[in-house]
Amino acid sequence: MKFLRLHTLTLLGLAFVANLGLQVYLATGQIKTWAEINWMDVAGEGGSAALALVWLIMLLHSRPAGRVTRLLALGLACVFFSWWMDTLDEFIHLPELAAWDNWLETAPMPIGLMLITLGIYHLNQEQRAISQQMSKREKGFREHRLFDKLTPLGAAEYLRQQLQLALVQAREQAQPLSLVAVDLDDFSAINQRFGQTEGDAVLQAVAHLLLLNLRQQDLLCRLAGDRFVAVLPNTGEAQARSIACELQRAVDSLAHRTEQHGERLHLQASTVAVMAIDDDPEQLLKRLNLGLAKAKQQLPRCA
């Protein structure tokens, strides 16, 4: 019923044109006797017309409305009409002077085939676009384990993969590459006092805050727990230290309030910046963690 409601106009239009062709033939010709009918032609031409009609119904039933569906439907309708008129010619004898029947039988066929060809071309373009989108989604599904389940960031393994690529690119382009680590101070006290759910909310808020304070080309990942690492391409150590201080001040000024009591949490973070020299990802991350451990002992604050 839903199919008929959606495509009533199309099907009624085709039925009207087919009936009009039948009435024209009946008005101008004479019905052949049983012996005059070539049943082989009837089976071939009538069967082809029936298949074209089936294809049209299947198309309308399976595809959404749009340019591709419209072109294919019009093309199949023309093909059906051409074969329908050929079939009628097997049952009705027209006067020899009637030349218009050749036009009704042959002209719709090439028009229909051209419309179908154009529709298939646009269908191919449509499928290529869909395939590209599906490929991106498939890649995302394959790599979903590389992303942190709590924050919208890459996890430690994703960080290592991207860091390896960034190191190779930095060497090829002879550009500096730096890392900045941000580690929340006394984060365990938040979990102990307010619970893990509130601690998770803090990590999510900090992740969004850090993303807002980084540049478009920077990559932020969650290394572990309350520790975040930003990969800064084409960035020297001095600039990386400046960015680290900006991130530290952003965390200090975060006005996060607990969900249950609306109490403001005063957060602080330790930061460190290191620049890649001739490191591999593991060596660079080791230097970063050692520098962060030293920073947390000294608790230096950016001016």
Side-chain angles (χ1 to χ4, degrees), residues 25 32 85-94 101 105:
Y25 266 51
K32 294 181 180 180
M85 299 308 293
D86 273 343
T87 305
L88 292 180
D89 190 51
E90 299 302 323
F91 291 95
I92 301 173
H93 179 73
L94 296 175
D101 63 311
E105 294 174 8

Side-chain angles (χ1 to χ4, degrees), residues 207-237:
H208 286 289
L209 176 71
L210 297 178
L211 285 172
L212 289 173
N213 284 273
L214 287 171
R215 304 165 301 180
Q216 185 175 2
Q217 68 267 30
D218 300 332
L219 172 67
L220 181 67
C221 295
R222 184 185 176 199
L223 182 60
D226 59 343
R227 184 167 298 182
F228 301 88
V229 174
V231 181
L232 311 177
N234 195 21
T235 304
E237 189 169 4

Side-chain angles (χ1 to χ4, degrees), residues 30-39 89-91 93:
Q30 294 181 345
I31 298 178
K32 294 181 180 180
T33 63
W34 189 268
E36 293 178 309
I37 298 175
N38 188 330
W39 292 103
D89 190 51
E90 299 302 323
F91 291 95
H93 179 73

Side-chain angles (χ1 to χ4, degrees), residues 86-161:
D86 273 343
T87 305
L88 292 180
D89 190 51
E90 299 302 323
F91 291 95
I92 301 173
H93 179 73
L94 296 175
E96 295 182 0
L97 297 178
W100 48 264
D101 63 311
N102 289 328
W103 286 95
L104 290 179
E105 294 174 8
T106 59
M109 181 63 73
I111 295 175
L113 293 178
M114 286 190 293
L115 289 172
I116 292 174
T117 302
L118 188 59
I120 291 176
Y121 168 78
H122 287 292
L123 177 63
N124 178 261
Q125 299 296 107
E126 178 185 273
Q127 291 300 317
R128 290 179 61 183
I130 292 174
S131 296
Q132 290 177 355
Q133 293 298 321
M134 292 300 295
S135 177
K136 293 178 182 178
R137 292 185 62 186
E138 181 185 0
K139 182 179 179 182
F141 286 129
R142 288 200 307 266
E143 297 182 349
H144 74 281
R145 295 184 179 179
L146 302 179
F147 289 86
D148 185 47
K149 294 180 175 60
L150 179 63
T151 63
L153 306 175
E157 185 60 30
Y158 183 76
L159 171 63
R160 290 181 172 86
Q161 290 185 7

Side-chain angles (χ1 to χ4, degrees), residues 58-100:
M58 292 173 60
L59 171 73
L60 296 176
H61 189 269
S62 61
R63 280 194 54 85
R67 177 173 58 180
V68 172
T69 302
R70 187 164 54 250
L71 288 170
L72 292 175
L74 287 174
L76 287 173
C78 289
V79 170
F80 164 78
F81 183 77
S82 180
W83 276 328
W84 168 248
M85 299 308 293
D86 273 343
T87 305
L88 292 180
D89 190 51
E90 299 302 323
F91 291 95
I92 301 173
H93 179 73
L94 296 175
E96 295 182 0
L97 297 178
W100 48 264

Side-chain angles (χ1 to χ4, degrees), residues 186-198:
D186 298 323
F187 177 74
S188 58
I190 296 176
N191 282 330
Q192 293 173 1
R193 181 178 177 184
F194 301 101
Q196 184 177 352
T197 301
E198 192 62 51

